[in-house]
């Protein structure tokens, strides 16, 4: 019986090996490794892909969020509204600016920030909101933007799991005032190392992000602000250009697998993902909920199918945020105790997805 991997980054190299080899050779032979033609070309191509006016490459997804927050003037004494259920990077980016985190609980069916809960979370010090497009599905942006506008808040979307996702005809990367992307290898658009980017329509934010990410400098050895070093390198940019060409195709494969899962598992006791109206998820993860999560994972493993958990422990229950240990976020806590991610990615075919369905069904 063939092993069905949860994710297979090695496969993404094998699928594109001649082009990847050529990209690596081109960069190595150029003798230029930081801020060169590849990064510039990738920034143009990714801006074009998302429809955003600006794209600025940076070191990783966490720094992309931090750079935008800092560019928007968020810092000590400010509050930022952040989902209670997200990968911890979203929280850490806020913490790194010195601002405070105000967790907002999700809509339980979609796992994304609940716009109806923003009002109660708002404080006089609130400066920004970070909707996360969790598992590949854009957050419900229209009510979030309306709320932000009413209260003069800055909105940065965490699009680390949503390359190519669409909300009411608009691409992820153009939703909100700015978007932060990660190109961690396992993402829908992943490098072979770390990488990230900020996209925005706002000229000022773009200029500030670019400056902050490059030692506060736009001109060599002239430093106008206390920036830091967060750069996408030439090699990763060259790899990302090859993969960007494949992104829609591979997102389509994910969608096909998701359809097979949704159809095949609809009569099981599992809680299946729910996608909002006029929203296209890019299925970064296919997350179900199961009362006997450990039992199902074991059953899948016995049948050579890898499952995973995103995420086992919510940020406020992590040691990193021990000051929040007594805070009660029941929806997030319930979600974290039941979620389970089925294998998902372009390394799979329809037959693999069908086998996952049969094996899951046999569990009940
Ligand atoms: C991966 C991820 C990040 C962080 O990206 P890195 O490139 O690993 O720093 C941030 N937020 C979310 C939701 C993510 O999934």
């Amino acid at each position: 019986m063939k092993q069905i991997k949860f994710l297979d980054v090695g496969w993404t190299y094998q699928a594109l090996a001649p082009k990847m080899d050529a990209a690596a050779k081109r960069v190595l032979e150029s003798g230029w490794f930081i801020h060169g033609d590849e990064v510039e070309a990738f920034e143009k191509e990714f801006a074009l892909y998302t429809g955003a006016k600006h794209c600025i490459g940076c070191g990783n997804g966490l720094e992309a969020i931090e750079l935008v927050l800092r560019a928007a003037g968020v810092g000590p004494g400010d509050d930022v509204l952040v989902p209670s259920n997200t990968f911890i990077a979203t929280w850490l980016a806020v913490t790194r600016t010195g601002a405070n985190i105000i967790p907002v609980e999700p809509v339980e069916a979609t796992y994304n920030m609940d716009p109806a809960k923003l009002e109660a979370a708002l404080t006089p010090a609130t400066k920004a909101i970070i909707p996360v497009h969790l598992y590949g599905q854009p957050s419900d942006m229209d009510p979030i933007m309306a709320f932000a506008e009413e209260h003069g808040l800055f909105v940065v979307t965490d699009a680390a799991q949503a390359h190519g996702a669409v909300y009411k005809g608009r691409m992820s990367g153009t939703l909100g005032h700015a978007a932060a992307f990660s190109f961690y290898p396992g993402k829908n658009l992943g490098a072979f190392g770390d990488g990230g980017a900020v996209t925005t329509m706002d000229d000022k934010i773009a200029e500030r992000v670019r400056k902050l990410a490059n030692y506060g400098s736009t001109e060599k050895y002239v430093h106008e602000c206390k920036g830091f070093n967060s750069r996408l390198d030439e090699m990763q940019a060259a790899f990302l250009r090859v993969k960007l060409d494949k992104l829609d195709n591979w997102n389509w494969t994910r969608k096909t697998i998701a359809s097979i899962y949704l159809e095949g598992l609809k009569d099981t006791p599992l809680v299946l993902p729910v996608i909002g109206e006029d929203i296209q998820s890019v299925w970064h993860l296919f997350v179900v909920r199961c009362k006997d999560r450990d039992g199902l994972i074991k059953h899948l493993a016995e049948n050579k199918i890898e499952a995973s958990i995103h995420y086992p422990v919510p940020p406020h229950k992590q040691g990193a945020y021990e000051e929040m240990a007594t805070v009660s976020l029941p929806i997030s806590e319930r979600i974290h105790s039941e979620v389970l991610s089925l294998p998902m990615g372009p390394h799979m075919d329809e037959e693999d997805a069908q086998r996952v369905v049969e094996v899951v069904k046999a569990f009940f």
Side-chain angles (χ1 to χ4, degrees):
M1 205 179 358
K2 176 186 146 199
Q3 168 89 8
I4 300 180
K5 288 190 185 172
F6 176 71
L7 165 120
D8 194 348
V9 176
W11 179 91
T12 68
Y13 168 67
Q14 294 302 336
L16 300 166
K19 284 184 176 162
M20 288 299 179
D21 294 350
K25 193 160 184 280
R26 191 170 70 232
V27 173
L28 290 169
E29 287 180 352
S30 78
W32 195 277
F33 303 103
I34 296 288
H35 281 172
D37 295 345
E38 298 291 339
V39 170
E40 197 180 313
F42 173 73
E43 288 178 344
K44 282 213 177 88
E45 288 160 12
F46 197 60
L48 200 65
Y49 178 79
T50 58
K53 186 171 176 193
H54 304 277
C55 170
I56 304 106
C58 65
N60 54 60
L62 181 143
E63 288 171 0
I65 305 169
E66 180 187 355
L67 283 163
V68 174
L69 290 172
R70 287 173 57 163
V74 173
D78 295 329
D79 288 343
V80 180
L81 308 185
V82 183
S84 56
N85 61 319
T86 178
F87 179 56
I88 197 165
T90 320
W91 283 43
L92 289 171
V94 175
T95 301
R96 277 174 52 158
T97 68
N100 302 312
I101 287 159
I102 301 196
V104 179
E105 289 266 72
V107 174
E108 199 158 343
T110 65
Y111 307 109
N112 276 332
M113 181 180 258
D114 188 346
K117 298 201 177 82
L118 293 171
E119 192 76 54
L122 189 73
T123 63
T126 301
K127 197 139 182 192
I129 312 179
I130 315 183
V132 178
H133 304 330
L134 203 66
Y135 309 147
Q137 168 168 216
S139 308
D140 191 5
M141 293 303 295
D142 282 352
I144 295 174
M145 292 311 290
F147 180 84
E149 195 148 316
E150 189 186 338
H151 298 283
L153 308 176
F154 188 89
V155 178
V156 48
T157 58
D158 179 341
Q161 304 187 354
H163 318 73
V166 183
Y167 176 82
K168 301 191 177 176
R170 304 196 304 273
M171 288 285 282
S172 161
T174 63
L175 310 169
H177 299 115
F181 287 91
S182 162
F183 305 124
Y184 176 79
K187 310 292 190 191
N188 289 39
L189 178 60
F192 295 136
D194 276 314
V198 171
T199 58
T200 181
M201 295 291 186
D202 186 318
D203 298 344
K204 276 218 171 61
I205 291 291
E207 189 194 316
R208 283 190 209 135
V209 165
R210 203 174 275 290
K211 199 186 291 181
L212 280 168
N214 188 36
Y215 293 117
S217 169
T218 44
E219 193 184 328
K220 207 165 189 191
Y221 304 128
V222 179
H223 305 275
E224 299 163 39
C225 63
K226 296 185 186 73
F228 57 109
N229 171 7
S230 180
R231 297 187 290 227
L232 180 65
D233 67 70
E234 288 285 290
M235 193 67 102
Q236 300 308 332
F239 293 145
L240 286 167
R241 293 180 68 196
V242 177
K243 280 206 181 169
L244 182 56
D245 263 347
K246 271 281 178 199
L247 179 59
D248 284 341
N249 195 306
W250 286 356
N251 278 346
W252 189 257
T253 304
R254 290 172 181 272
K255 194 176 175 175
T256 306
I257 293 163
S259 308
I260 293 171
Y261 286 167
L262 286 169
E263 176 61 27
L265 299 172
K266 65 175 195 273
D267 297 324
T268 64
L270 293 177
V271 178
L272 298 177
V274 174
I275 304 301
E277 212 175 303
D278 206 2
I279 288 179
Q280 285 178 44
S281 173
V282 285
W283 299 103
H284 175 60
L285 296 167
F286 190 95
V287 174
V288 299
R289 282 163 64 187
C290 181
K291 297 270 182 234
D292 182 13
R293 169 168 73 184
D294 293 346
L296 180 53
I297 290 177
K298 187 162 163 281
H299 170 76
L300 287 165
E302 283 162 5
N303 288 279
K304 299 195 129 210
I305 295 170
E306 260 177 18
S308 192
I309 299 175
H310 299 86
Y311 299 90
V313 180
H316 72 288
K317 294 289 181 196
Q318 300 281 356
Y321 288 100
E322 60 185 357
E323 68 274 22
M324 294 226 195
T326 56
V327 173
S328 170
L329 297 163
I331 300 178
S332 178
E333 285 159 31
R334 189 159 59 238
I335 288 170
H336 281 80
S337 70
E338 292 177 4
V339 286
L340 148 77
S341 311
L342 296 178
M344 173 56 80
H347 65 291
M348 294 174 65
D349 60 22
E350 296 181 24
E351 217 171 293
D352 294 334
Q354 209 58 57
R355 203 178 105 212
V356 173
V357 166
E358 295 313 319
V359 170
V360 171
K361 277 161 86 177
F363 178 69
F364 296 104

